[in-house]
Amino acid sequence: MSEALVRLTHEFVDVVDGAVARSTETTVFDGLPGRLRLSTPVARVEARTQPVVDAWLDTAVAAAPEPWAALAHALLATSPELDWIVSYEHLASSPVVDAFRPNYSFAALMGPSFRGRNPPFLADGLLAGFSLQAPHVHYPAHHHEPPELYGVMSGDIDWQIGDTWHAKSPGDLAIHRSHESHSMRTTADPVLTWVCWSRGTGSHVYMPSMDPPDNTMAPITY
Ligand SMILES: [Fe+2]
């Protein structure tokens, strides 16, 4: 566990503290900052990068304004220690999947073991980390049981929650209630976010446009 990773975690918890304090969704995220502090450092993470990270993380971090720049630069410094994953590995190839999947990546900072690998900090009933979405990429509409809290760190993005599209910029939050559909479309910028699930880390993510209609039993999150 490097000093840089510990610094990243402190920055992350401070940012989530601030977001929860100014959120009106106190019943959904009450207690989240305290639970972030209960995570346990693991000895070694099997780190991976992805082509989308190699292509866009530098650009996204350089564009992050204050006060989010501190967290973004802490992420960049520790990126080689994180396990950046390809989301939705279980979905079959299709034009929609193939346009999205290589152009998005997630790195857990805290959470349970996932696909047999540990994040830097183990925590039960909680998933927290970072996502990177390349420019001109559509993350199709999806939903899941756990409520979700996103914070935009870099880039402007169109964000659909329910039936309404919102323009989001650095510092904006996006809150998804349980099973509320959401979709994110980048334009010219790569978009870097932090993200937390406050419970239900083993839940399935339903993506109606890509999952077969009868695929309701997939056992693992994206
Ligand atoms: Fe989500």
Side-chain angles (χ1 to χ4, degrees), residues 88 139 142-144 148 150 176 182 184 197 205 222:
Y88 302 99
Y139 189 150
H142 57 288
H143 63 91
H144 37 74
E148 186 173 47
Y150 273 91
H176 309 140
H182 46 283
M184 297 84 105
W197 282 22
V205 175
Y222 60 99

Side-chain angles (χ1 to χ4, degrees), residues 87-112:
S87 295
Y88 302 99
E89 277 189 333
H90 66 288
L91 294 179
S93 176
S94 74
V96 173
V97 171
D98 296 346
F100 167 69
R101 194 161 43 193
N103 296 306
Y104 178 90
S105 187
F106 171 78
L109 183 59
M110 305 170 192

Side-chain angles (χ1 to χ4, degrees), residues 16-197:
V16 176
D17 273 353
V20 172
R22 64 196 165 95
S23 166
T24 56
E25 301 288 333
T26 52
T27 55
V28 174
F29 296 107
D30 193 28
L32 178 60
R35 290 195 294 124
L36 290 174
R37 292 181 170 83
L38 294 177
S39 58
T40 305
V42 303
R44 193 174 75 84
V45 174
E46 289 181 77
R48 277 177 298 187
T49 187
Q50 300 293 339
V52 64
V53 176
D54 297 340
W56 291 109
L57 184 60
D58 284 356
T59 304
V61 169
E66 296 292 349
W68 323 109
L71 181 62
H73 282 278
L75 173 63
L76 183 64
T78 54
S79 182
E81 300 180 66
L82 298 176
D83 187 21
W84 289 95
I85 66 165
V86 174
S87 295
Y88 302 99
E89 277 189 333
H90 66 288
L91 294 179
S93 176
S94 74
V96 173
V97 171
D98 296 346
F100 167 69
R101 194 161 43 193
N103 296 306
Y104 178 90
S105 187
F106 171 78
L109 183 59
M110 305 170 192
S113 290
F114 180 61
R115 299 181 188 162
R117 300 162 76 104
N118 289 331
F121 294 85
L122 281 172
D124 287 329
L126 162 71
L127 181 63
F130 300 92
S131 79
L132 180 66
Q133 186 167 329
H136 304 293
V137 170
H138 181 212
Y139 189 150
H142 57 288
H143 63 91
H144 37 74
E145 191 283 328
E148 186 173 47
L149 176 61
Y150 273 91
V152 179
M153 297 160 60
S154 177
D156 294 333
I157 183 170
D158 294 325
W159 205 295
Q160 185 183 35
I161 304 175
D163 295 327
T164 306
W165 285 91
H166 309 262
K168 299 283 186 186
S169 299
D172 288 338
L173 303 176
I175 295 169
H176 309 140
R177 296 177 180 84
S178 182
H179 286 298
E180 188 170 44
S181 179
H182 46 283
S183 169
M184 297 84 105
R185 192 184 295 275
T186 49
T187 55
D189 305 323
V191 170
L192 183 64
T193 73
W194 57 264
V195 54
C196 295
W197 282 22

